[in-house]
Amino acid sequence: MASFAIASFFLTGCNDDDSYPDVDGQNPTISLATEHIQTEAGREFTISGKVEDKDGIRSIRLVNAELSLDKTIDPLEIYKEPVYTYDLSYKFKTAKTQEGESFTIGVTVTDLGGRTVESQVRVTMDGDFTAPTFPSAPSAAITVLIKEETKLNLRFSAADDKALDYVEVSIPELDFYEKLPVEGKSLNYDKTIALPSAIASYNLTITAVDKFKLETVTKSVITVSEMPDFTKMYLSDVKEIDQLNSDLFGIPMLIERTEPFTYRARYYSEAPGTEVRFLPQKTDFSPICFGINPNDNTVLTDEPEISLPIVLEEKGYYEITFNTLTGEYTTNRYTPTDEPAPYTVTIDSETVEFQLSLAGAGMVGIPDWDTRYGATLTRDADNPYLFYGEVELEAGSEVEFTITPKDLVHSGDNGGWWVEPFWRFEAGEFDSGENEYNTKNNGNNMSKVTVQKSGKYMFKFDTHLLRSRLYPIN
């Protein structure tokens, strides 16, 4: 990357300052750390090198009109005495809106005798400072059930904002290794890998490397076993893998384990005909997906290739229970009996409209942690327990918030009071740090989530289910 060389230069000179007599009368020298800097719009870079002259350095000038750069460094003014060696290290930040792909910065060094040397630094906007990402990746723990033909359907996607170089897939215990060269910004991987039909564990490592040799690694432990008693189970109401992985949290939705091998899902169907299935892993429908067995619709099957969704015929709340060993399941509509969020709230003896909002940080245009100006949520017209709202998020930022009533009374320095009821996130022994459920009037602040894609996001929150989700809508 960086190459050390003395740049080509042009020499001129005559002594125009008799107060500093010549020592050797030679032209100054400059050795740049690199003659080519790769950066990107809106990023800071550094022009560095070593400047020397036995007669003393008068000035170092850096110029490029397209970058609006015209900087003169005067060592004599800085140090109040002649400087014979100067370590150049000048930081410059391009505008985020900078147009153009390549620029030449002129570097001119003048000594106290008026002699000059000129060099050039080429600056290009093809730098890459962001490591690759996995828009979808296997879960950290993957369970594969022993079958007559045991297999893992391995699927993932890797991406880079500039250019991927290659992706490696490795399962050492199976002597499985692939190195996949990539031309472009992304790779989608979908392969069926045969596994021995015996109880065992295997280590899966996937490494994505971009053209600048930045890399990202994801690891999983593959466990081959009979049907385990899963600690966690999730409800999916989406059909595409991308939808499982593009959310910031909440898709799929955590449900309740009531007994060994037995689970209960409570869910609000926003429209007739909603289709749901159940997953023990969060990032894929494989290797296990519980849905209706097409050969016997009274039981569920775990086979993702054949399982059919449970169809919720009407709008409203449903309770679904099922056993993963027997496949038995039930589906029933029900009406919540708990009180919905109030329609008014009292603050300092003043009764005002109850207006739920997201108060936190990382939302574009929303002041940080101020309950007066949080992102407003709308109560659903047909369901008093359901609230929703849109927020704008920026890639690379961290978003966090609580769900709290907006303070409609206070202003100025006295604003931002926190009143009940409010909702936070996970607490106690079941706190996974993944924002999988909500708590009322207690709990933790939302675990910070890094935004991968800029745009509008939908937030939905159900005060009865104590479940929320945040996902992109454009």
Side-chain angles (χ1 to χ4, degrees):
M1 299 218 3
S3 61
F4 289 82
I6 298 178
S8 58
F9 52 80
F10 304 92
L11 306 177
T12 63
C14 61
N15 192 332
D16 59 359
D17 193 339
D18 294 336
S19 60
Y20 299 102
D22 287 346
V23 174
D24 66 358
Q26 300 298 309
N27 295 296
T29 62
I30 178 171
S31 178
L32 295 173
T34 180
E35 295 174 338
H36 181 198
I37 296 173
Q38 292 174 280
T39 186
E40 60 185 0
R43 177 171 289 273
E44 184 179 82
F45 62 87
T46 302
I47 302 171
S48 58
K50 193 176 191 66
V51 179
E52 295 182 291
D53 189 89
K54 291 184 178 180
D55 299 308
I57 302 165
R58 168 81 269 180
S59 65
I60 304 164
R61 189 182 180 203
L62 311 172
V63 177
N64 181 276
E66 295 171 286
L67 296 175
S68 300
L69 170 62
D70 191 344
K71 173 66 177 180
T72 298
I73 301 169
D74 187 342
L76 187 62
E77 175 66 25
I78 297 171
Y79 297 103
K80 309 304 181 184
E81 62 181 9
V83 173
Y84 307 101
T85 300
Y86 185 83
D87 290 323
L88 174 64
S89 181
Y90 182 72
K91 298 181 184 300
F92 182 78
K93 186 175 183 179
T94 58
K96 287 186 176 181
T97 55
Q98 183 67 54
E99 296 182 354
E101 297 299 323
S102 181
F103 308 89
T104 299
I105 296 175
V107 183
T108 303
V109 179
T110 305
D111 72 5
L112 291 174
R115 291 167 290 269
T116 64
V117 61
E118 295 182 6
S119 185
Q120 295 179 340
V121 178
R122 187 164 68 99
V123 177
T124 57
M125 296 293 152
D126 56 355
D128 188 349
F129 305 91
T130 304
T133 61
F134 289 102
S136 64
S139 299
I142 303 171
T143 300
V144 179
L145 300 181
I146 295 177
K147 304 286 185 179
E148 186 174 337
E149 293 182 0
T150 304
K151 57 187 179 181
L152 169 65
N153 294 323
L154 180 58
R155 294 182 290 201
F156 66 86
S157 61
D160 188 72
D161 63 335
K162 297 295 175 63
L164 276 177
D165 191 5
Y166 62 89
V167 175
E168 292 179 319
V169 183
S170 172
I171 308 176
E173 296 86 352
L174 297 175
D175 292 326
F176 182 91
Y177 175 80
E178 285 187 335
K179 184 174 182 178
L180 308 164
V182 181
E183 292 296 331
K185 296 183 178 182
S186 63
L187 170 75
N188 292 314
Y189 186 92
D190 189 342
K191 188 167 190 173
T192 300
I193 301 173
L195 302 175
S197 296
I199 294 174
S201 292
Y202 306 99
N203 294 287
L204 167 67
T205 301
I206 306 170
T207 305
V209 182
D210 68 16
K211 297 293 186 181
F212 269 58
K213 304 309 176 186
L214 300 173
E215 70 174 41
T216 300
V217 178
T218 182
K219 295 185 177 183
S220 304
V221 175
I222 305 165
T223 301
V224 179
S225 71
E226 303 291 348
M227 179 68 71
D229 184 10
F230 293 108
T231 303
K232 288 186 176 182
M233 188 68 64
Y234 300 89
L235 178 150
S236 170
D237 58 2
V238 299
K239 299 178 181 180
E240 304 297 330
I241 294 176
D242 288 350
Q243 294 173 296
L244 287 177
N245 293 281
S246 61
D247 68 307
L248 295 188
F249 61 81
I251 302 174
M253 183 184 83
L254 180 69
I255 64 173
E256 181 184 2
R257 177 181 176 275
T258 57
E259 296 178 22
F261 301 97
T262 305
Y263 305 87
R264 178 179 69 176
R266 287 186 171 181
Y267 175 79
Y268 178 69
S269 175
E270 294 186 40
T274 301
E275 299 179 351
V276 300
R277 292 190 291 174
F278 299 97
L279 312 170
Q281 67 280 325
K282 294 177 69 171
T283 62
D284 202 340
F285 298 102
S286 178
I288 300 173
C289 179
F290 294 100
I292 295 175
N293 189 332
N295 301 314
D296 180 359
N297 64 10
T298 65
V299 295
L300 303 182
T301 176
D302 59 66
E303 294 281 359
E305 291 82 3
I306 65 172
S307 65
L308 301 176
I310 297 173
V311 179
L312 308 179
E313 299 291 353
E314 300 179 62
K315 182 176 180 176
Y317 283 95
Y318 283 83
E319 180 175 284
I320 306 168
T321 61
F322 62 97
N323 184 287
T324 57
L325 281 182
T326 65
E328 295 176 341
Y329 74 100
T330 62
T331 302
N332 295 295
R333 287 197 64 193
Y334 76 96
T335 300
T337 58
D338 54 309
E339 288 293 325
Y343 286 83
T344 60
V345 64
T346 300
I347 305 177
D348 292 348
S349 301
E350 183 175 351
T351 299
V352 296
E353 177 189 0
F354 179 88
Q355 197 172 89
L356 206 54
S357 70
L358 305 180
M363 296 171 282
V364 176
I366 304 297
D368 288 355
W369 296 111
D370 192 327
T371 57
R372 296 166 297 174
Y373 308 111
T376 303
L377 301 180
T378 300
R379 192 191 301 251
D380 186 78
D382 298 323
N383 182 359
Y385 300 97
L386 179 63
F387 292 80
Y388 59 89
E390 295 181 12
V391 291
E392 186 85 17
L393 303 179
E394 189 173 275
S397 66
E398 289 187 325
V399 61
E400 59 176 327
F401 49 74
T402 63
I403 308 164
T404 189
K406 181 173 284 192
D407 188 342
L408 302 176
V409 174
H410 300 96
S411 62
D413 295 336
N414 295 321
W417 284 24
W418 298 82
V419 296
E420 295 183 357
F422 62 85
W423 290 265
R424 289 183 177 160
F425 290 81
E426 305 174 1
E429 62 177 313
F430 300 109
D431 185 353
S432 69
E434 297 182 9
N435 306 309
E436 291 185 323
Y437 64 90
N438 296 102
T439 60
K440 183 178 180 180
N441 294 339
N442 59 42
N444 300 317
N445 285 352
M446 171 187 153
S447 296
K448 294 180 181 179
V449 179
T450 300
V451 180
Q452 300 298 323
K453 179 183 177 182
S454 296
K456 290 185 179 181
Y457 284 70
M458 173 64 73
F459 176 79
K460 289 188 177 181
F461 169 57
D462 191 307
T463 66
H464 166 66
L465 299 177
L466 291 176
R467 294 293 187 271
S468 57
R469 56 173 62 183
L470 181 60
Y471 58 94
I473 54 176
N474 65 349

